[in-house]
Amino acid sequence: MHSSLKTAAVALAALFVVAACGGGAGTGTPAASSAATGATSTKPKLELASYAYAIQTKGKLRVGAREDNVPFGVKNVATSKFEGFDVDIAREIAKEIFGNESDIDKFIEYVPVVSATRIPTLTESKADFVIATFTINDDRKKQIDFSDVYFNTGQKILVKKDNSTITKVTDLNGKRVCSAKGSTSEVNIRKEAPQAALELQDTYVPCLILLQQGRVDAVSTDETILFGLVKQDPNTKIVGSYFSAEPYGIGVKKNANNDRNGFVDLINRSLVAMIQDGRWAKIYKQWITPVSGDEKTTPDQR
Ligand code: GLU
């Protein structure tokens, strides 16, 4: 009784803050979100000139996500629903715009992407943001904007369990290696093992099939994606140490024509909030821990 009263009081106080901030339109201070207060169906007050306000008015957030990238983005064939670490992070950001809805997917339209289509999906304005194991780098930053880092990993190698000839990246020279077109993994292999015969696919599941069929000797990409492949085929193993750093960010179209005002900031605020209040750790535990075996409370933890 006492604690529920206290909860109600906190919720009321938070609502008051929302109302008070909302009154100050034009001050440049976005209002507190109801997502954090636990209030249901109260639309957060957003600045009128912000891109998030335009999305709230439209009633749909378009999220670029992966369909076959365990544990980050998967389209569940049984339910047709998207799921995974990236998808749950996207849902928390959506709550920043639409409030703490019980079925936030009502407000999300998922736009399937693969590695090579992530940037065009943004520049052609087919999605509002792309959350898809998307490494932040200078080359990509010339074309699109990124949020702050929300996940850290690095590139490794996957081979069949009985393989003893490949133990490090330079061993890939002269070998057939599968990776995804348009990924940093492809670029890193060209640099670290220039004599490797690269076999490029749209995604990593077809690479796993080529490995199973003996048509390639190895698959190489981010370790956490490889964890997902090992889960799908326990007859494989990950070898070697990291030969790249892969910090993931959420991609957004550049605000060149003031058509994405405040959007990266809103995403970053949402990320900070979900790391601070433990939602990030919970999502990590649900999706990453079952394949990695570790637990983390922030993306910076090594
Ligand atoms: N993180 C890397 C990239 O952004 C590889 C993973 C992927 O292809 O999604 O390219």
Side-chain angles (χ1 to χ4, degrees), residues 96-113:
E96 210 71 39
I97 301 169
F98 298 108
N100 204 7
E101 293 283 338
S102 54
D103 183 11
I104 194 68
D105 270 8
K106 276 192 306 198
F107 299 91
I108 300 175
E109 180 191 323
Y110 292 98
V111 179
V113 296

Side-chain angles (χ1 to χ4, degrees), residues 66 69 114-116 118 132-136 140 153 155 179-186 202 204 221-222 225 246-248:
R66 308 291 282 255
N69 204 10
V114 296
S115 301
R118 291 173 294 191
T133 63
F134 206 175
T135 296
I136 303 167
R140 290 172 175 170
T153 180
Q155 190 162 344
S179 198
K181 226 178 286 166
S183 66
T184 53
S185 318
E186 171 195 350
D202 280 340
Y204 298 100
T221 186
D222 304 343
I225 297 175
E246 307 292 333
Y248 294 171

Side-chain angles (χ1 to χ4, degrees), residues 69-81:
N69 204 10
V70 176
F72 292 98
V74 179
K75 191 170 177 184
N76 184 319
V77 281
T79 62
S80 288
K81 282 197 159 250

